[in-house]
Amino acid sequence: MIYVALLRGINVGGKNKVDMKKLKQAFEEAGMSSVTTYINSGNIVFVDNNFSTDQLAPILEEAIYSHFGLQSNVLIYNSEEFQGIARAIPENWSNDQQMKSDALFLWEDVDGETVLDQLVIKPDIDRVRYVPGAILWSVDRDKVTKSGMIKIIGSALYQRVTVRNVNTVRKITALLQKMENKNTGLS
């Protein structure tokens, strides 16, 4: 099965530095195959047919700790789950000079529509949606500092999410589709 691993808190502000080539090697040594990383923020697409989704996170967290001495939380989605989140992002949402749009991927213990109750949402500024596995958020760049969503930083909920901009989510989705095509002989 094809999976996406999202690592939290690596290569942020010069802290918890992890080289992606070495991270790929750590995943391979943990038994994962067809490992592909995307940018330095800890996005890994891989294949595994031996473990369940629930088993993968602790295995990979241990691999990261043993290779890098870092305790990084790993969030795992199978290809179908991840692509479902990506499809829920409105096509007109972008991450560019005019708009900031992110997916806040949720750990299972906070994954539910009631998570929105923990957020400060300003309806005239923030565009926020819950989809299973993530909160989707978009705001015009000139209103980011007025957004209620920035109040999530430093909250208890913030410790249970890992954020990727929509451009990254779409690129990971393209990698998943390429890997699926390759694995089914369609490429």
Side-chain angles (χ1 to χ4, degrees):
M1 181 169 269
I2 301 171
Y3 295 96
V4 174
L6 302 175
L7 280 58
R8 186 177 194 288
I10 67 159
N11 297 334
V12 178
K15 296 181 182 177
N16 298 331
K17 291 189 150 235
V18 173
D19 177 271
M20 292 301 105
K21 287 180 185 175
K22 291 180 181 175
L23 182 61
K24 179 181 183 213
Q25 181 180 2
F27 270 56
E28 290 169 343
E29 289 177 12
M32 308 307 124
S33 62
S34 301
V35 180
T36 303
T37 62
Y38 176 68
I39 66 175
N40 283 339
S41 58
N43 310 294
I44 305 95
V45 176
F46 64 96
V47 173
D48 177 77
N49 295 313
N50 299 314
F51 300 103
S52 70
T53 304
D54 292 339
Q55 292 172 314
L56 284 169
I59 289 167
L60 296 172
E61 287 168 357
E62 176 56 35
I64 292 164
Y65 184 75
S66 67
H67 277 79
F68 304 102
L70 296 175
Q71 292 188 313
S72 176
N73 292 327
V74 177
L75 193 54
I76 304 288
Y77 290 93
N78 67 42
S79 181
E80 184 178 317
E81 293 166 333
F82 192 89
Q83 290 187 64
I85 293 167
R87 281 190 302 272
I89 299 169
E91 287 184 32
N92 65 331
W93 284 19
S94 60
N95 198 64
D96 55 25
Q97 292 181 348
Q98 287 75 42
M99 188 183 293
K100 176 175 176 43
S101 302
D102 294 317
L104 291 74
F105 292 93
L106 302 166
W107 262 262
E108 190 175 339
D109 61 319
V110 295
D111 187 5
E113 198 160 358
T114 58
V115 72
L116 296 177
D117 298 337
Q118 299 179 51
L119 304 173
V120 176
I121 300 170
K122 296 183 179 178
D124 54 328
I125 295 173
D126 297 308
R127 295 174 291 276
V128 180
R129 298 177 180 189
Y130 166 80
V131 295
I135 299 166
L136 306 177
W137 169 57
S138 184
V139 63
D140 295 335
R141 282 272 179 201
D142 62 351
K143 295 180 182 172
V144 168
T145 59
K146 297 175 185 164
S147 168
M149 285 293 288
I150 62 171
K151 296 184 187 311
I152 191 174
I153 298 171
S155 72
L157 177 59
Y158 190 63
Q159 301 304 311
R160 304 304 298 154
V161 304
T162 187
V163 182
R164 301 296 188 274
N165 74 53
V166 296
N167 299 344
T168 298
V169 174
R170 290 174 177 142
K171 180 61 178 178
I172 294 169
T173 299
L175 291 172
L176 285 168
Q177 292 168 347
K178 183 178 179 181
M179 191 174 289
E180 286 175 353
N181 290 343
K182 182 180 178 184
N183 285 350
T184 59
L186 298 175
S187 60

